[in-house]
Amino acid sequence: MATNSSRLLWKLAHLILASLVFIGVFISPNASLAQQLAQITGRISDADTKEYLPGANVMLKGTGFGASSDRSGMYRIANVQAGSYELVVRYIGYEEQSVNVTVGEKGLAVTQDVPLKSSVVQLSGIQIQGLRQGQNKALNIQKSSDNIVNVVSSEQMLRLPDLNTAEILQRVPGISIVRDQGEGRYVQIRGTDARLTSVSVNGERLTAPDAGERYVGMDVVSASQAASIEVVKALTPDMDADAIGGSVNLVTKSGFDSDKPFFNIQAGSGYSDMLGKPLWQGNFTYGTKFGSDDKYALAVTGNYDYWKRNTWDLETGYNKVTAGTATIPYALVDLDLRDYVIERERFNIAANLDFRPNENNQYFLRGMYNNRDDYEYRRNLYVRPSKGTFTAADAVTNAKIYRGLKDRLERQNIMTVGAGGIHKMNNLKFDYNVGYTSGGTKKPDETDPTFVMIKKVNLSLDQRNPDRPQYTVTSSGAAYDQHNADNYKLDGVKWNNDDATDQDYLGSVNLRYAYDIGNHPSELKIGGKMHVREKKKSQDRWVYAKDGADLLLTQFVGDDGISIVNGAYKVGSAIDGDKFREYFKAQKDKVNGLKGSIDHENSEAASFTADENLVAYYAMNTINMDNWMFLAGVRHEFT
């Protein structure tokens, strides 16, 4: 791996060197002209709240020169000749503002800040100011973007009680989500599979905590962590090329987002009627500028939420079977009645430290940590006509009935740390970033017992409603009572201990050069990126059986009154997880206790270490002609 990494680093160094030489050749004929031209820079802000306004449209009236403001409200118009101009600023939801600007002969930079007044209609009564501002920011960023982008602001996120980022994105046009136990998890863009969606934080890719997947479960990241969420549906050459469906970028909060310090705290609770348990949620956001001339900025966000819910699940299986000489094309072969108790606890924290010694230079250090604990307690009654013999479409002999328990904790975490800088030099803008991201999933000490009914039973099936088929045990006698724990013996125990990690070291560099083509503002952008990634998975899975006399369900019975689907099905005689786990630990690998054997296929064969190294470089150019923008470029990635 060291040899491959060195080789990739050597290639990347050559790419960067070639890019810099190319820039030098391209820029040198225009250097003297660029020195004679000026720049107009400044900041666009809300005149009342002092919040910075990203995505503002800033134009020099009567020319093709203009710019849009960045997330801190800064704009920069390059290559401006000497003379007097009318600077026009437009922003959705605000009054248009015009300012006279004079550029001197020596090509010095001119600074012009523009505060904007809200154009909201004043109503007598209540005014929802925060939501309006958030929506305006999102719409202006979408409007000023070079590609197809949807933006969700933090103010919009507060409108509905979405717990995680996946549930926020379900409200964006063209996006659907995959749910797990009713909660959104994976994001699908434009109908494509979730694996074709890339997820990043501040432009840098997140690793996948799931061992067998490359895509990120967004239920790990809380809804309160981001200042905004950007969904890109059309890629440009300066973006990672594997986001075939689209890209989701979480922009974390910065102390430079506002001219004033900000502090928000929220807390809430709820109640689960099915379980009789409370729900908890809380988050905070703090941001401020400090130091001499407010050159430093700090923003910290944190979140905690906990909920517990009860869900019912009826899973059926239908297949073609043979009953004597007759063929039944659509017979009920499996009926799985499941009662879930799910607990999810999420803890997230993020921090941004920024340093701006002046308007042309910026340095940043960013970090985020997300943790989700998912505890699943599933009790089920599994009726299997497929294990018996069909005598008719609605009659089975010698079928089997099982009672099972899935008792496991899944702990997922995602961490990202990044540092870099942004520098502006006349017509040049140079940025770079190095970072580390990691994700992991642990499933420690999962213990899943299954008990089987000692006697095989005869069944009568009622399939008049395929969505809710019914069954009746027709065998007579106390030994055939399916709800009596004495009639079940241990069939086996699956014990799992899984651990998966995904780590990625990355670096990127980008350079922009603003110039004119026939008095039309243009920009050349080139850059490169490198990923060094390692993914590991370790699975330890065993199967245990009772050594000696049969082990009956009797001593492990918990709740005996469980019914699901509003009483349509009785589960009854559920296994108590705490009782069985205590017995398992005491009798594991003991004589006349539980004898185990390793599951090789799901242990050694499913454990792996995989390395992936990627180097990419690109070049792209944009030309603005009145109401038209032309973009062309190329990106090359090799892995």
Side-chain angles (χ1 to χ4, degrees), residues 187-242:
V187 173
Q188 298 173 315
I189 300 178
R190 299 183 301 165
T192 59
D193 192 81
R195 62 188 173 86
L196 303 179
T197 299
S198 71
V199 180
S200 59
V201 174
N202 298 314
E204 298 302 338
R205 289 289 299 274
L206 289 180
T207 54
D210 287 325
E213 309 294 348
R214 295 180 63 87
Y215 47 91
V216 179
M218 299 191 67
D219 56 344
V220 182
V221 183
S222 168
S224 64
Q225 292 299 95
S228 64
I229 303 177
E230 303 168 347
V231 180
V232 180
K233 300 176 181 176
L235 301 187
T236 51
D238 57 343
M239 300 176 64
D240 290 329
D242 61 346

Side-chain angles (χ1 to χ4, degrees), residues 94-343:
Y94 287 77
E95 296 176 359
E96 181 179 306
Q97 182 75 19
S98 298
V99 180
N100 294 322
V101 178
T102 300
V103 177
E105 295 290 341
K106 295 183 180 181
L108 299 177
V110 178
T111 300
Q112 181 63 60
D113 296 336
V114 183
L116 299 182
K117 294 288 292 183
S118 171
S119 62
V120 67
V121 177
Q122 298 293 331
L123 301 176
S124 58
I126 299 174
Q127 180 187 161
I128 312 299
Q129 176 117 357
L131 296 181
R132 172 186 56 78
Q133 292 173 341
Q135 185 178 18
N136 289 341
K137 290 179 183 179
L139 292 175
N140 279 280
I141 294 173
Q142 292 176 189
K143 181 181 177 182
S144 62
S145 177
D146 289 342
N147 50 10
I148 303 173
V149 177
N150 290 106
V151 180
V152 184
S153 68
S154 59
E155 292 87 349
Q156 289 173 289
M157 298 177 200
L158 297 176
R159 296 176 62 184
L160 293 166
D162 297 322
L163 289 176
N164 63 57
T165 49
E167 294 188 340
I168 291 171
L169 293 172
Q170 70 180 324
R171 311 181 193 284
V172 175
I175 288 185
S176 60
I177 63 174
V178 179
R179 294 183 178 273
D180 177 40
Q181 295 294 337
E183 184 182 11
R185 189 168 199 181
Y186 299 115
V187 173
Q188 298 173 315
I189 300 178
R190 299 183 301 165
T192 59
D193 192 81
R195 62 188 173 86
L196 303 179
T197 299
S198 71
V199 180
S200 59
V201 174
N202 298 314
E204 298 302 338
R205 289 289 299 274
L206 289 180
T207 54
D210 287 325
E213 309 294 348
R214 295 180 63 87
Y215 47 91
V216 179
M218 299 191 67
D219 56 344
V220 182
V221 183
S222 168
S224 64
Q225 292 299 95
S228 64
I229 303 177
E230 303 168 347
V231 180
V232 180
K233 300 176 181 176
L235 301 187
T236 51
D238 57 343
M239 300 176 64
D240 290 329
D242 61 346
I244 297 172
S247 175
V248 176
N249 182 41
L250 281 67
V251 180
T252 57
K253 297 174 183 179
S254 169
F256 283 124
D257 288 344
S258 174
D259 193 43
K260 301 185 298 182
F262 53 88
F263 177 68
N264 299 310
I265 186 169
Q266 288 186 324
S269 181
Y271 186 77
S272 172
D273 186 60
M274 291 176 65
L275 285 173
K277 299 292 184 180
L279 314 174
W280 305 99
Q281 182 180 7
N283 63 75
F284 75 91
T285 302
Y286 172 75
T288 187
K289 295 187 288 185
F290 61 96
S292 60
D293 299 324
D294 289 337
K295 293 180 180 179
Y296 295 89
L298 174 68
V300 181
T301 62
N303 173 84
Y304 173 83
D305 63 72
Y306 167 85
W307 57 258
K308 185 175 182 179
R309 67 176 59 171
N310 185 201
T311 61
W312 298 325
D313 183 19
L314 169 64
E315 298 196 3
T316 56
Y318 291 89
N319 207 343
K320 182 172 67 175
V321 300
T322 301
T325 59
T327 299
I328 303 169
Y330 195 67
L332 177 66
V333 295
D334 288 300
L335 181 63
D336 195 357
L337 312 176
R338 299 183 175 187
D339 178 78
Y340 286 89
V341 176
I342 305 295
E343 291 184 66

